[in-house]
Structure formats: C-alpha cells, structure tokens
Amino acid sequence: MSESDNPLKADLKVHWILVWSAVLSLIVMLVVCEFYGDTWRQVMPEDQRVLIRTLFYVLVIIGFPLTNLLRHILLRLNQTMPGEKPAKQRYLLTVMMSLLFAETIAILGGVMYIIGDDDNTLTIFAVLAGLAVFLYRPKVDEYQSIIDALKENKVSK
C-alpha cells in the first residue's frame, strides 16, 4: 500500500519530517563530536565526570517511562480536549514532545563527551537517543484513535 493509498500516512508527513530531522541531528552531533570535539573538550576530573555521568544515566532511565506516560496522557488529551484543532495538529504536539526527550538524551551524551568522557559514553547515549526516536515515532494507529475520538465527540454533542 503506497502513501497515496492511505491518507493517514500522508497526514503524518510533517511528523515524519520531524523524526528524520531528529535522526539527522543525532548523526550531525556524532560527526561533530568525532571530528571537532577535541577542540572543545574541557576534561574534568574523573570523579566529577563519574558523578555527572551517573546522574545523566539516572535521568535517562527515569525519562523513558516518564516519556511513555507523558505520551499516553497527551494522546488521551488529544482525544478528549474540546476545541477545533484538527487531529493532525494535536498529534504533532505529542510527537514533538516525545522527540524532545530523544534529543535531550543526545545532548546529554554530547555534554559528557565535551567534559572529557570517551567515545563509548557518546555512543551509548546516541544509541539510547536513537531508541527513543524509534519508540516514540508517529504511529498511524495512535493518529487514527485521535481521529475516531474526535469524530465520536462531535457525534455525541
């Protein structure tokens, strides 16, 4: 089935542009850190880096379930909030908030690299950011549920 056969997929074009922008920014961050990171690095003492790294890992570990919860809440709000905003615009906010979490993970990895951590830490944070982008990508069934709920709300009024 092509995109033209499914109008819902066509509606999510902007959403997917945001996803690919997030992936591109992740790649750019990795390339910049790899080729130009040494000029910006400010190596901190190991004990301070360990503390910051641990804090960042805890934030990411807590952030995944919180982002999932936030996404669930936003989806429900998209379905139930009154107003004339179309489903496409409502769902865009949900996708943007989810991708913001993914970008934050990437930024944390870049910060760790700049303060002196090695490529391994940068790679771990980049993989976690990529995982977040994958998990929180736009999904046609979520979008469809918003459309259905909005139609149902208009019929019941």
Side-chain angles (χ1 to χ4, degrees):
M1 183 190 284
S2 71
E3 191 172 289
S4 61
D5 295 339
N6 189 345
L8 294 180
K9 283 187 179 181
D11 279 354
L12 296 177
K13 188 172 284 193
V14 171
H15 303 67
W16 279 104
I17 289 171
L18 288 176
V19 169
W20 287 110
S21 297
V23 170
L24 182 63
S25 72
L26 181 60
I27 292 168
V28 167
M29 183 204 64
L30 288 171
V31 168
V32 166
C33 284
E34 184 64 33
F35 291 108
Y36 302 106
D38 290 338
T39 59
W40 301 323
R41 288 183 102 165
Q42 303 292 321
V43 179
M44 291 180 106
E46 179 69 21
D47 58 334
Q48 289 178 349
R49 278 195 326 237
V50 168
L51 177 66
I52 294 169
R53 183 184 327 123
T54 303
L55 176 66
F56 284 178
Y57 278 134
V58 167
L59 289 173
V60 171
I61 290 168
I62 292 170
F64 268 96
L66 284 179
T67 302
N68 203 31
L69 175 65
L70 176 67
R71 188 174 172 98
H72 177 75
I73 291 169
L74 287 172
L75 285 171
R76 284 299 296 149
L77 286 173
N78 289 336
Q79 295 167 350
T80 59
M81 287 294 290
E84 295 302 315
K85 267 190 189 175
K88 182 176 171 179
Q89 192 174 354
R90 292 173 185 234
Y91 191 50
L92 183 62
L93 177 65
T94 302
V95 171
M96 287 171 46
M97 294 304 295
S98 303
L99 291 176
L100 179 64
F101 170 67
E103 289 299 312
T104 302
I105 296 171
I107 290 168
L108 294 177
V111 167
M112 286 307 305
Y113 189 77
I114 296 300
I115 65 172
D117 252 11
D118 57 8
D119 290 339
N120 189 36
T121 301
L122 180 65
T123 303
I124 290 169
F125 277 96
V127 168
L128 289 172
L131 176 64
V133 168
F134 174 77
L135 290 174
Y136 304 127
R137 69 195 182 280
K139 297 173 183 136
V140 175
D141 58 325
E142 290 176 343
Y143 179 54
Q144 181 67 54
S145 72
I146 296 168
I147 292 171
D148 293 344
L150 292 176
K151 282 181 185 175
E152 192 176 298
N153 287 342
K154 283 186 179 181
V155 170
S156 65
K157 287 185 179 180

